[in-house]
Amino acid sequence: MASDTTKIVLILIALMHIKSLPGIYTLRSLSYFVKNRHLKAPSVGLLEPAKYHSRVWFDDLDLNIHLNNSSYNKMMDFARIDLCTRLFPGWQVKHKFDMCLAQTVLFFKAEVPRFSKYTITSRVFTWDDKWIWMQHRFSIKRKAKPVRKALEAMNAAVLSGQEQLQREQQGQTNEEPIRDEDVVVEEDDEDDIDPIEAKAPKGPGGPSANRLGQQHLQDAMMDVPDKLCCIAYSRMVAKHPKGKTIVPAKLFEKMGHKEAYPGEWEQYRLLGMSLIEGMMKIGDPTADNPAASARRLVNPTRAKI
């Protein structure tokens, strides 16, 4: 008979790996249907991103003591289910169609450290006559290094106006100058920039181009982007119970999604598709051979829901 110490150890091991226990995956998947069962209309726009938050736990670690490869796919499943139940309310119960996964592509950029919180930002990226592509961005909060009090003094000088600036120019300030080693400047990383958002029109009210030759320090410190760790794409298809494919554009309209202006969906779709087509050429030996790649990629059987 097991001793009390053995029982305690076994219970602790089970709790540390609770997310991987039998049946937990199914229960978590069903929980999103239960949570969003009251929705009568989409709670998120077709082109809007949705965030899913999680944390790296013991059963997510690999030999390098960070988020393992299988957990990326597992957490993408939960993020997809949560997004689909909000985009297409009642898609399995009322409308009775399935969202089937056909392919996932992951590009790793940085690790998700042990026990750290991370966010999966998911959204519909593009679509054609058959497939729906979703994008998933794994990100963590950047760790801000401490900055000396001289930065606060400089910020106060900026806000104080021309009088303080004149005193500084005359050398009447007693503040210690800021050294290069006191400030951490990170270069912009192209991989951290969302290609869709980068091409979107910018609204008015951007930062002034001439304010001490730089953006307001406090604003720059507050608006620190998350660190991108992985960017993934999943290809899905909507299937009727009889096995017929549901055309994505018809599905979106049936679920109650509407364009903000004529041509919005097509403009968004074409931009996303150009990026997807370029990505799919990676590692394809026939990508530069028109004769070998001349084939019909999409031949859906249309169905009504």
Side-chain angles (χ1 to χ4, degrees), residues 62-145:
D62 60 8
L63 295 178
N64 295 320
I65 320 297
H66 58 206
L67 186 65
N68 63 54
N69 296 342
S70 62
S71 290
Y72 280 94
N73 287 281
K74 180 172 66 175
M75 301 313 298
M76 281 168 55
D77 280 348
F78 297 141
R80 270 193 303 266
I81 295 173
D82 182 47
L83 178 58
C84 287
T85 54
R86 297 168 63 188
L87 280 173
F88 316 125
W91 56 281
Q92 275 199 325
V93 179
K94 179 181 178 181
H95 301 285
K96 299 185 183 303
F97 66 89
D98 297 321
M99 295 297 297
C100 304
L101 180 66
Q103 181 184 19
T104 57
V105 181
L106 293 88
F107 299 92
F108 298 103
K109 182 178 180 297
E111 68 170 359
V112 179
R114 58 188 179 275
F115 312 130
S116 61
K117 292 182 179 180
Y118 61 93
T119 301
I120 307 176
T121 304
S122 304
R123 66 177 180 182
V124 174
F125 194 71
T126 188
W127 62 90
D128 55 20
D129 289 339
K130 179 179 181 179
W131 304 108
I132 301 174
W133 285 89
M134 288 190 176
Q135 183 195 67
H136 312 275
R137 299 169 66 90
F138 289 74
S139 59
I140 59 176
K141 292 293 183 181
R142 294 184 185 270
K143 293 183 178 180
K145 296 185 178 181

Coordinates of all heavy atoms in Angstrom, one line a residue, residues 62-145:
D62 N 10.2 21.5 -22.7 CA 10.9 20.4 -23.4 C 12.3 20.4 -22.8 O 12.5 20.9 -21.7 CB 11.0 20.7 -24.9 CG 11.7 22.1 -25.2 OD1 12.2 22.7 -24.3 OD2 11.7 22.5 -26.4
L63 N 13.3 19.7 -23.4 CA 14.6 19.6 -22.8 C 15.4 20.9 -22.7 O 16.3 21.0 -21.9 CB 15.4 18.6 -23.7 CG 14.9 17.1 -23.7 CD1 15.8 16.3 -24.6 CD2 14.9 16.6 -22.3
N64 N 14.9 21.9 -23.5 CA 15.5 23.2 -23.4 C 14.8 24.1 -22.4 O 15.1 25.3 -22.3 CB 15.5 23.9 -24.8 CG 16.4 23.2 -25.8 OD1 17.5 22.7 -25.4 ND2 15.9 23.0 -27.0
I65 N 13.9 23.5 -21.6 CA 13.2 24.2 -20.6 C 12.5 25.5 -21.1 O 12.5 26.6 -20.5 CB 14.1 24.6 -19.4 CG1 15.1 23.5 -19.1 CG2 13.3 24.9 -18.1 CD1 14.5 22.2 -18.7
H66 N 11.8 25.3 -22.2 CA 10.9 26.4 -22.7 C 9.7 25.7 -23.4 O 9.6 24.5 -23.5 CB 11.6 27.4 -23.7 CG 12.3 26.7 -24.8 ND1 13.4 27.3 -25.5 CD2 12.0 25.6 -25.5 CE1 13.7 26.5 -26.5 NE2 12.9 25.5 -26.6
L67 N 8.8 26.5 -24.0 CA 7.6 25.9 -24.6 C 8.0 25.0 -25.7 O 8.7 25.3 -26.6 CB 6.7 27.1 -25.1 CG 5.4 26.7 -25.7 CD1 4.5 26.1 -24.6 CD2 4.7 27.9 -26.3
N68 N 7.4 23.7 -25.6 CA 7.8 22.7 -26.6 C 7.0 22.8 -27.9 O 5.9 23.5 -27.9 CB 7.7 21.3 -26.0 CG 6.3 21.0 -25.6 OD1 5.4 21.0 -26.4 ND2 6.1 20.6 -24.3
N69 N 7.4 22.1 -28.9 CA 6.8 22.3 -30.2 C 5.3 21.8 -30.3 O 4.5 22.4 -30.9 CB 7.6 21.5 -31.3 CG 9.0 22.1 -31.5 OD1 9.3 23.2 -31.1 ND2 9.9 21.3 -32.0
S70 N 5.1 20.7 -29.6 CA 3.7 20.2 -29.6 C 2.7 21.1 -28.9 O 1.5 21.2 -29.3 CB 3.7 18.8 -28.9 OG 4.1 18.9 -27.6
S71 N 3.2 21.8 -27.9 CA 2.3 22.8 -27.2 C 1.9 23.9 -28.1 O 0.8 24.5 -27.9 CB 3.0 23.3 -25.9 OG 3.1 22.3 -25.0
Y72 N 2.7 24.3 -29.0 CA 2.4 25.4 -29.9 C 1.1 25.0 -30.7 O 0.1 25.7 -30.8 CB 3.5 25.7 -30.9 CG 4.6 26.6 -30.4 CD1 5.7 26.0 -29.8 CD2 4.5 27.9 -30.4 CE1 6.8 26.8 -29.3 CE2 5.5 28.8 -30.0 CZ 6.6 28.2 -29.4 OH 7.6 29.0 -28.9
N73 N 1.1 23.8 -31.2 CA 0.0 23.3 -32.0 C -1.3 23.1 -31.1 O -2.4 23.4 -31.5 CB 0.3 22.0 -32.7 CG 1.3 22.2 -33.9 OD1 0.8 22.6 -35.0 ND2 2.5 21.9 -33.7
K74 N -1.0 22.6 -29.9 CA -2.2 22.4 -29.0 C -2.8 23.7 -28.6 O -4.1 23.8 -28.7 CB -1.7 21.6 -27.8 CG -2.8 21.4 -26.8 CD -2.4 20.5 -25.6 CE -1.3 21.1 -24.8 NZ -0.9 20.3 -23.6
M75 N -2.0 24.7 -28.3 CA -2.6 26.0 -27.9 C -3.2 26.7 -29.1 O -4.2 27.5 -29.0 CB -1.5 26.8 -27.3 CG -0.9 26.2 -26.0 SD -2.1 25.6 -24.8 CE -3.0 27.0 -24.4
M76 N -2.7 26.4 -30.3 CA -3.3 27.0 -31.5 C -4.7 26.4 -31.7 O -5.6 27.1 -32.2 CB -2.4 26.7 -32.7 CG -1.2 27.7 -32.9 SD 0.0 27.1 -34.1 CE -1.1 26.9 -35.6
D77 N -4.9 25.1 -31.4 CA -6.2 24.5 -31.5 C -7.2 25.3 -30.6 O -8.3 25.6 -31.0 CB -6.1 23.1 -31.0 CG -5.6 22.1 -32.1 OD1 -5.5 22.6 -33.2 OD2 -5.3 21.0 -31.8
F78 N -6.8 25.6 -29.4 CA -7.7 26.3 -28.4 C -8.0 27.7 -28.9 O -9.1 28.2 -28.9 CB -7.1 26.3 -27.0 CG -6.9 25.0 -26.4 CD1 -5.8 24.7 -25.6 CD2 -7.9 24.0 -26.6 CE1 -5.7 23.4 -25.1 CE2 -7.7 22.7 -26.0 CZ -6.6 22.4 -25.2
A79 N -7.0 28.4 -29.4 CA -7.2 29.7 -30.0 C -8.1 29.7 -31.2 O -8.9 30.6 -31.3 CB -5.8 30.3 -30.3
R80 N -7.9 28.7 -32.0 CA -8.8 28.6 -33.2 C -10.2 28.3 -32.8 O -11.2 28.9 -33.4 CB -8.3 27.5 -34.2 CG -7.3 27.9 -35.2 CD -7.1 26.9 -36.2 NE -6.7 25.6 -35.7 CZ -5.4 25.2 -35.5 NH1 -4.4 26.0 -35.9 NH2 -5.1 24.1 -35.0
I81 N -10.4 27.4 -31.9 CA -11.8 27.1 -31.5 C -12.5 28.3 -30.9 O -13.6 28.6 -31.1 CB -11.8 25.9 -30.5 CG1 -11.3 24.6 -31.2 CG2 -13.2 25.6 -29.9 CD1 -11.1 23.4 -30.3
D82 N -11.7 29.0 -30.0 CA -12.3 30.2 -29.4 C -12.7 31.2 -30.4 O -13.7 31.8 -30.3 CB -11.3 30.7 -28.4 CG -11.8 31.9 -27.6 OD1 -12.9 31.9 -27.1 OD2 -11.1 32.9 -27.5
L83 N -11.8 31.4 -31.4 CA -12.1 32.4 -32.4 C -13.2 32.0 -33.3 O -14.1 32.8 -33.6 CB -10.8 32.6 -33.3 CG -11.0 33.6 -34.5 CD1 -11.4 35.0 -34.0 CD2 -9.7 33.7 -35.3
C84 N -13.3 30.7 -33.7 CA -14.4 30.2 -34.6 C -15.7 30.3 -33.9 O -16.8 30.6 -34.5 CB -14.1 28.8 -35.0 SG -12.8 28.7 -36.3
T85 N -15.8 30.0 -32.6 CA -17.1 30.1 -31.9 C -17.5 31.5 -31.7 O -18.7 31.8 -31.5 CB -17.0 29.5 -30.5 OG1 -15.9 30.1 -29.7 CG2 -16.7 28.0 -30.5
R86 N -16.6 32.5 -31.8 CA -17.0 33.9 -31.8 C -17.3 34.5 -33.2 O -18.1 35.3 -33.4 CB -15.9 34.7 -31.1 CG -15.7 34.3 -29.7 CD -14.4 34.9 -29.1 NE -14.5 36.3 -29.1 CZ -13.4 37.1 -28.8 NH1 -12.3 36.5 -28.5 NH2 -13.5 38.4 -28.8
L87 N -16.6 33.9 -34.2 CA -16.8 34.4 -35.6 C -18.1 33.8 -36.2 O -18.8 34.4 -36.9 CB -15.6 34.0 -36.5 CG -14.4 34.9 -36.4 CD1 -13.3 34.2 -37.2 CD2 -14.7 36.3 -37.0
F88 N -18.3 32.5 -35.8 CA -19.4 31.7 -36.4 C -20.3 31.1 -35.3 O -20.1 29.9 -35.0 CB -18.9 30.6 -37.4 CG -17.8 31.0 -38.3 CD1 -16.6 30.4 -38.3 CD2 -17.9 32.1 -39.1 CE1 -15.5 30.8 -39.2 CE2 -16.9 32.5 -40.0 CZ -15.7 31.9 -40.0
P89 N -21.1 31.9 -34.6 CA -21.9 31.4 -33.5 C -22.8 30.2 -34.0 O -23.4 30.3 -35.0 CB -22.7 32.6 -33.1 CG -21.9 33.8 -33.6 CD -21.3 33.3 -34.9
G90 N -22.7 29.2 -33.2 CA -23.6 28.0 -33.5 C -23.2 27.2 -34.7 O -24.0 26.5 -35.3
W91 N -21.9 27.3 -35.0 CA -21.5 26.6 -36.3 C -21.6 25.1 -36.3 O -21.7 24.5 -37.3 CB -20.1 27.1 -36.7 CG -19.0 26.8 -35.7 CD1 -18.7 27.6 -34.6 CD2 -18.0 25.8 -35.7 NE1 -17.7 27.1 -33.9 CE2 -17.2 26.0 -34.6 CE3 -17.7 24.8 -36.5 CZ2 -16.1 25.2 -34.2 CZ3 -16.6 23.9 -36.2 CH2 -15.8 24.1 -35.1
Q92 N -21.5 24.5 -35.1 CA -21.7 23.0 -35.0 C -23.0 22.6 -34.6 O -23.5 21.5 -34.9 CB -20.6 22.4 -34.1 CG -19.3 22.2 -34.8 CD -18.4 21.2 -34.0 OE1 -18.4 21.2 -32.8 NE2 -17.6 20.4 -34.8
V93 N -23.7 23.4 -33.8 CA -25.0 23.0 -33.3 C -26.2 23.5 -34.1 O -27.0 22.6 -34.6 CB -25.2 23.6 -31.8 CG1 -26.5 23.2 -31.3 CG2 -24.1 23.2 -30.9
K94 N -26.2 24.8 -34.4 CA -27.4 25.3 -35.2 C -27.2 25.1 -36.7 O -28.0 24.6 -37.4 CB -27.5 26.8 -34.9 CG -28.7 27.4 -35.7 CD -28.7 28.9 -35.3 CE -29.8 29.6 -36.1 NZ -29.9 31.1 -35.8
H95 N -26.0 25.5 -37.2 CA -25.8 25.4 -38.7 C -25.2 24.1 -39.1 O -25.2 23.8 -40.3 CB -24.8 26.6 -39.1 CG -25.4 27.9 -38.8 ND1 -26.4 28.5 -39.5 CD2 -25.0 28.8 -37.8 CE1 -26.6 29.7 -39.0 NE2 -25.8 29.9 -37.9
K96 N -24.7 23.3 -38.2 CA -24.2 22.0 -38.4 C -23.2 21.9 -39.6 O -23.4 21.2 -40.6 CB -25.4 21.1 -38.7 CG -26.4 21.0 -37.5 CD -27.5 20.0 -37.8 CE -28.5 20.0 -36.7 NZ -27.9 19.7 -35.4
F97 N -22.1 22.5 -39.4 CA -21.0 22.3 -40.4 C -19.7 22.3 -39.5 O -19.7 22.7 -38.4 CB -20.9 23.4 -41.4 CG -20.6 24.8 -40.9 CD1 -19.3 25.2 -40.8 CD2 -21.6 25.7 -40.5 CE1 -19.0 26.5 -40.3 CE2 -21.3 26.9 -40.0 CZ -20.0 27.3 -39.9
D98 N -18.7 21.7 -40.1 CA -17.4 21.5 -39.4 C -16.3 22.4 -39.9 O -16.3 22.6 -41.2 CB -17.0 20.1 -39.5 CG -17.9 19.1 -38.8 OD1 -18.5 19.5 -37.7 OD2 -18.2 18.0 -39.4
M99 N -15.5 22.9 -39.1 CA -14.3 23.6 -39.5 C -13.1 22.6 -39.4 O -12.7 22.3 -38.3 CB -14.0 24.8 -38.6 CG -15.1 25.9 -38.7 SD -15.2 26.6 -40.4 CE -13.6 27.4 -40.5
C100 N -12.6 22.2 -40.5 CA -11.6 21.1 -40.5 C -10.2 21.7 -40.8 O -10.0 22.6 -41.7 CB -11.9 20.1 -41.6 SG -13.6 19.4 -41.4
L101 N -9.2 21.3 -40.0 CA -7.8 21.8 -40.2 C -7.1 20.9 -41.3 O -7.2 19.7 -41.2 CB -7.1 21.7 -38.9 CG -5.7 22.2 -38.9 CD1 -5.6 23.7 -39.2 CD2 -5.0 21.9 -37.5
A102 N -6.5 21.6 -42.2 CA -5.8 20.9 -43.3 C -4.3 21.0 -43.2 O -3.5 20.1 -43.6 CB -6.2 21.4 -44.6
Q103 N -3.8 22.1 -42.6 CA -2.3 22.3 -42.6 C -2.0 23.4 -41.6 O -2.7 24.3 -41.4 CB -1.9 22.8 -44.0 CG -0.4 23.0 -44.2 CD 0.0 23.5 -45.5 OE1 -0.9 24.0 -46.3 NE2 1.2 23.4 -45.9
T104 N -0.8 23.3 -41.0 CA -0.2 24.3 -40.2 C 1.2 24.6 -40.6 O 1.9 23.6 -40.9 CB -0.3 24.0 -38.7 OG1 0.4 22.8 -38.4 CG2 -1.8 23.9 -38.2
V105 N 1.6 25.8 -40.5 CA 3.0 26.2 -40.8 C 3.5 27.1 -39.7 O 2.8 28.1 -39.4 CB 3.1 26.9 -42.2 CG1 4.6 27.2 -42.5 CG2 2.5 26.0 -43.3
L106 N 4.6 26.8 -39.1 CA 5.1 27.6 -38.0 C 6.5 28.1 -38.3 O 7.3 27.3 -38.8 CB 5.1 26.8 -36.7 CG 3.8 26.3 -36.1 CD1 3.3 25.0 -36.7 CD2 3.9 26.2 -34.6
F107 N 6.7 29.3 -37.9 CA 8.0 29.9 -38.1 C 8.5 30.4 -36.7 O 7.8 31.3 -36.1 CB 8.0 31.1 -39.0 CG 7.6 30.7 -40.4 CD1 6.3 30.8 -40.8 CD2 8.6 30.3 -41.3 CE1 5.9 30.4 -42.1 CE2 8.2 29.9 -42.6 CZ 6.9 30.0 -43.0
F108 N 9.5 29.8 -36.1 CA 9.9 30.2 -34.8 C 11.0 31.3 -34.8 O 11.9 31.3 -35.6 CB 10.5 29.0 -34.1 CG 9.5 27.8 -33.9 CD1 9.6 26.7 -34.7 CD2 8.6 27.9 -32.9 CE1 8.7 25.7 -34.5 CE2 7.7 26.9 -32.7 CZ 7.7 25.8 -33.6
K109 N 10.8 32.3 -34.0 CA 11.7 33.4 -34.0 C 12.4 33.5 -32.6 O 13.6 33.9 -32.6 CB 10.9 34.7 -34.2 CG 11.7 36.0 -34.3 CD 10.8 37.2 -34.6 CE 11.7 38.4 -34.6 NZ 12.3 38.7 -33.3
A110 N 11.8 33.3 -31.5 CA 12.4 33.3 -30.2 C 11.6 32.3 -29.3 O 10.5 31.9 -29.6 CB 12.3 34.8 -29.7
E111 N 12.2 32.0 -28.2 CA 11.6 31.1 -27.3 C 10.6 31.7 -26.4 O 10.6 32.9 -26.2 CB 12.7 30.5 -26.4 CG 13.3 31.4 -25.4 CD 14.2 30.8 -24.3 OE1 14.3 29.6 -24.4 OE2 14.7 31.5 -23.5
V112 N 9.6 30.9 -26.0 CA 8.7 31.3 -24.9 C 9.2 30.7 -23.6 O 9.1 29.5 -23.4 CB 7.3 30.9 -25.2 CG1 6.3 31.3 -24.1 CG2 6.8 31.4 -26.6
P113 N 9.8 31.5 -22.7 CA 10.5 31.0 -21.6 C 9.6 30.2 -20.6 O 8.3 30.4 -20.7 CB 11.1 32.2 -20.9 CG 11.1 33.3 -22.0 CD 9.9 33.0 -22.8
R114 N 10.2 29.4 -19.8 CA 9.4 28.6 -18.8 C 8.6 29.5 -17.9 O 9.0 30.6 -17.5 CB 10.4 27.8 -18.0 CG 11.4 28.6 -17.2 CD 12.5 27.7 -16.6 NE 13.5 28.4 -15.9 CZ 14.6 28.9 -16.5 NH1 14.7 28.8 -17.8 NH2 15.5 29.6 -15.7
F115 N 7.4 29.1 -17.6 CA 6.4 29.7 -16.7 C 6.1 31.1 -17.1 O 5.5 31.9 -16.2 CB 7.0 29.7 -15.3 CG 7.5 28.3 -14.8 CD1 8.8 28.2 -14.3 CD2 6.8 27.2 -15.0 CE1 9.3 26.9 -13.9 CE2 7.2 25.9 -14.7 CZ 8.5 25.8 -14.1
S116 N 6.3 31.5 -18.3 CA 6.0 32.9 -18.7 C 4.6 32.9 -19.3 O 4.1 32.0 -19.9 CB 7.0 33.4 -19.7 OG 7.0 32.6 -20.9
K117 N 4.0 34.1 -19.2 CA 2.7 34.3 -19.8 C 2.9 34.7 -21.3 O 3.9 35.4 -21.6 CB 1.9 35.5 -19.1 CG 1.5 35.2 -17.7 CD 0.7 36.3 -17.1 CE 0.2 36.0 -15.7 NZ -0.5 37.2 -15.1
Y118 N 2.0 34.2 -22.1 CA 2.1 34.6 -23.5 C 0.8 34.8 -24.1 O -0.3 34.3 -23.5 CB 2.9 33.5 -24.3 CG 2.3 32.1 -24.3 CD1 1.4 31.7 -25.3 CD2 2.6 31.2 -23.3 CE1 0.9 30.4 -25.3 CE2 2.1 29.9 -23.3 CZ 1.2 29.6 -24.3 OH 0.6 28.3 -24.3
T119 N 0.7 35.4 -25.2 CA -0.6 35.8 -25.9 C -0.5 35.2 -27.3 O 0.5 35.4 -28.0 CB -0.8 37.3 -25.9 OG1 -0.8 37.8 -24.6 CG2 -2.1 37.6 -26.6
I120 N -1.6 34.6 -27.7 CA -1.8 34.2 -29.1 C -2.8 35.1 -29.8 O -4.0 35.2 -29.4 CB -2.3 32.7 -29.2 CG1 -1.4 31.8 -28.4 CG2 -2.4 32.3 -30.7 CD1 -1.9 30.4 -28.4
T121 N -2.4 35.9 -30.7 CA -3.3 36.8 -31.5 C -3.6 36.1 -32.8 O -2.8 35.9 -33.6 CB -2.6 38.1 -31.7 OG1 -2.1 38.7 -30.5 CG2 -3.5 39.1 -32.4
S122 N -4.9 35.8 -32.9 CA -5.4 35.0 -34.0 C -6.4 35.8 -34.8 O -7.1 36.6 -34.3 CB -6.1 33.7 -33.6 OG -5.2 32.9 -32.8
R123 N -6.4 35.6 -36.1 CA -7.4 36.2 -37.0 C -7.5 35.5 -38.3 O -6.6 34.8 -38.7 CB -7.0 37.7 -37.2 CG -5.7 37.9 -38.0 CD -5.4 39.3 -38.2 NE -4.1 39.4 -39.0 CZ -3.6 40.6 -39.3 NH1 -4.2 41.7 -38.9 NH2 -2.5 40.7 -39.9
V124 N -8.5 35.8 -39.1 CA -8.6 35.4 -40.4 C -7.7 36.2 -41.3 O -7.7 37.4 -41.3 CB -10.1 35.5 -41.0 CG1 -10.2 35.2 -42.4 CG2 -11.0 34.6 -40.2
F125 N -6.8 35.5 -42.0 CA -5.7 36.2 -42.7 C -6.1 36.4 -44.2 O -5.9 37.4 -44.8 CB -4.4 35.4 -42.6 CG -3.2 36.2 -43.0 CD1 -2.7 37.2 -42.2 CD2 -2.5 35.9 -44.2 CE1 -1.6 37.9 -42.6 CE2 -1.4 36.6 -44.6 CZ -0.9 37.6 -43.8
T126 N -6.6 35.3 -44.8 CA -7.0 35.4 -46.2 C -7.9 34.2 -46.5 O -8.0 33.3 -45.7 CB -5.8 35.5 -47.1 OG1 -6.3 35.8 -48.5 CG2 -5.0 34.2 -47.1
W127 N -8.4 34.1 -47.7 CA -9.2 33.0 -48.1 C -9.3 32.9 -49.6 O -9.0 33.9 -50.3 CB -10.6 33.0 -47.5 CG -11.4 34.2 -47.9 CD1 -12.3 34.4 -49.0 CD2 -11.4 35.5 -47.2 NE1 -12.8 35.6 -49.0 CE2 -12.3 36.4 -48.0 CE3 -10.8 36.0 -46.1 CZ2 -12.5 37.7 -47.6 CZ3 -11.0 37.3 -45.8 CH2 -11.9 38.2 -46.5
D128 N -9.8 31.8 -50.2 CA -10.0 31.7 -51.6 C -11.4 31.0 -51.8 O -12.2 31.1 -50.9 CB -8.9 31.0 -52.3 CG -8.6 29.6 -51.8 OD1 -9.5 29.0 -51.1 OD2 -7.5 29.1 -52.0
D129 N -11.6 30.2 -52.9 CA -12.9 29.6 -53.1 C -13.1 28.4 -52.2 O -14.2 27.8 -52.1 CB -13.0 29.1 -54.5 CG -13.2 30.3 -55.5 OD1 -13.6 31.4 -55.0 OD2 -12.9 30.2 -56.7
K130 N -12.0 27.9 -51.5 CA -12.1 26.8 -50.6 C -11.5 27.0 -49.3 O -12.2 26.7 -48.2 CB -11.5 25.6 -51.3 CG -11.5 24.3 -50.5 CD -10.9 23.1 -51.3 CE -10.9 21.8 -50.4 NZ -10.3 20.7 -51.2
W131 N -10.3 27.5 -49.2 CA -9.5 27.5 -48.0 C -9.7 28.8 -47.2 O -9.8 29.8 -47.8 CB -8.1 27.2 -48.2 CG -7.8 25.9 -49.0 CD1 -7.4 25.8 -50.3 CD2 -7.9 24.6 -48.4 NE1 -7.2 24.5 -50.6 CE2 -7.5 23.7 -49.5 CE3 -8.3 24.1 -47.2 CZ2 -7.5 22.4 -49.3 CZ3 -8.3 22.7 -47.0 CH2 -7.9 21.9 -48.1
I132 N -9.6 28.7 -45.9 CA -9.5 29.8 -45.0 C -8.2 29.8 -44.3 O -7.9 28.8 -43.6 CB -10.7 29.9 -44.0 CG1 -12.0 29.9 -44.7 CG2 -10.6 31.1 -43.0 CD1 -13.2 29.8 -43.7
W133 N -7.4 30.8 -44.5 CA -6.1 30.8 -43.8 C -6.2 31.7 -42.5 O -6.7 32.8 -42.6 CB -5.0 31.4 -44.7 CG -4.6 30.5 -45.8 CD1 -5.1 30.3 -47.0 CD2 -3.5 29.6 -45.7 NE1 -4.4 29.4 -47.7 CE2 -3.4 28.9 -46.9 CE3 -2.6 29.2 -44.7 CZ2 -2.4 27.9 -47.2 CZ3 -1.6 28.3 -44.9 CH2 -1.5 27.6 -46.2
M134 N -5.7 31.2 -41.4 CA -5.7 32.0 -40.2 C -4.2 32.2 -39.8 O -3.4 31.4 -40.0 CB -6.4 31.3 -39.0 CG -7.9 31.3 -39.2 SD -8.7 30.6 -37.7 CE -10.5 30.9 -38.1
Q135 N -4.0 33.3 -39.1 CA -2.7 33.7 -38.7 C -2.7 33.7 -37.1 O -3.7 34.1 -36.5 CB -2.3 35.1 -39.2 CG -0.8 35.5 -38.7 CD -0.6 36.9 -38.9 OE1 -1.2 37.8 -38.2 NE2 0.3 37.3 -39.8
H136 N -1.6 33.1 -36.5 CA -1.5 33.1 -35.1 C -0.1 33.6 -34.7 O 0.9 33.2 -35.2 CB -1.6 31.7 -34.6 CG -2.8 30.9 -35.1 ND1 -4.1 31.0 -34.6 CD2 -2.9 30.1 -36.2 CE1 -4.9 30.3 -35.3 NE2 -4.2 29.7 -36.3
R137 N -0.1 34.7 -33.9 CA 1.2 35.3 -33.5 C 1.4 35.0 -31.9 O 0.6 35.5 -31.1 CB 1.1 36.8 -33.8 CG 1.0 37.1 -35.2 CD 0.7 38.6 -35.5 NE 1.8 39.4 -35.1 CZ 2.8 39.7 -36.0 NH1 2.8 39.3 -37.2 NH2 3.8 40.5 -35.6
F138 N 2.4 34.3 -31.6 CA 2.7 34.0 -30.2 C 3.7 35.2 -29.7 O 4.7 35.4 -30.3 CB 3.5 32.7 -30.0 CG 2.6 31.5 -30.2 CD1 2.2 31.1 -31.5 CD2 2.2 30.7 -29.2 CE1 1.4 30.0 -31.7 CE2 1.4 29.6 -29.3 CZ 0.9 29.3 -30.6
S139 N 3.3 35.8 -28.7 CA 4.1 37.0 -28.2 C 4.2 37.0 -26.7 O 3.3 36.5 -26.0 CB 3.6 38.3 -28.7 OG 2.2 38.5 -28.3
I140 N 5.2 37.6 -26.2 CA 5.4 37.8 -24.7 C 5.7 39.2 -24.5 O 6.1 40.0 -25.3 CB 6.5 36.9 -24.1 CG1 7.8 37.2 -24.8 CG2 6.1 35.4 -24.3 CD1 9.0 36.4 -24.2
K141 N 5.5 39.6 -23.2 CA 5.8 41.0 -22.8 C 7.4 41.2 -22.8 O 8.1 40.3 -22.3 CB 5.2 41.3 -21.5 CG 3.7 41.4 -21.5 CD 3.2 42.6 -22.3 CE 1.7 42.7 -22.2 NZ 1.2 43.9 -23.0
R142 N 7.8 42.3 -23.3 CA 9.3 42.6 -23.2 C 9.6 42.9 -21.8 O 8.9 43.6 -21.1 CB 9.6 43.7 -24.2 CG 9.5 43.3 -25.6 CD 9.9 44.5 -26.5 NE 9.7 44.2 -27.9 CZ 10.5 43.6 -28.7 NH1 11.7 43.2 -28.2 NH2 10.3 43.4 -30.0
K143 N 10.8 42.5 -21.4 CA 11.3 42.9 -20.1 C 12.0 44.2 -20.1 O 13.1 44.3 -20.8 CB 12.3 41.8 -19.5 CG 11.6 40.5 -19.2 CD 12.5 39.5 -18.6 CE 11.8 38.2 -18.3 NZ 12.8 37.2 -17.7
A144 N 11.5 45.2 -19.5 CA 12.1 46.6 -19.5 C 13.2 46.6 -18.5 O 13.0 46.3 -17.3 CB 11.0 47.6 -19.3
K145 N 14.4 47.0 -18.9 CA 15.5 47.2 -18.0 C 15.4 48.5 -17.3 O 14.8 49.5 -17.8 CB 16.8 47.1 -18.8 CG 17.0 45.8 -19.4 CD 18.4 45.7 -20.1 CE 18.6 44.3 -20.7 NZ 20.0 44.2 -21.3

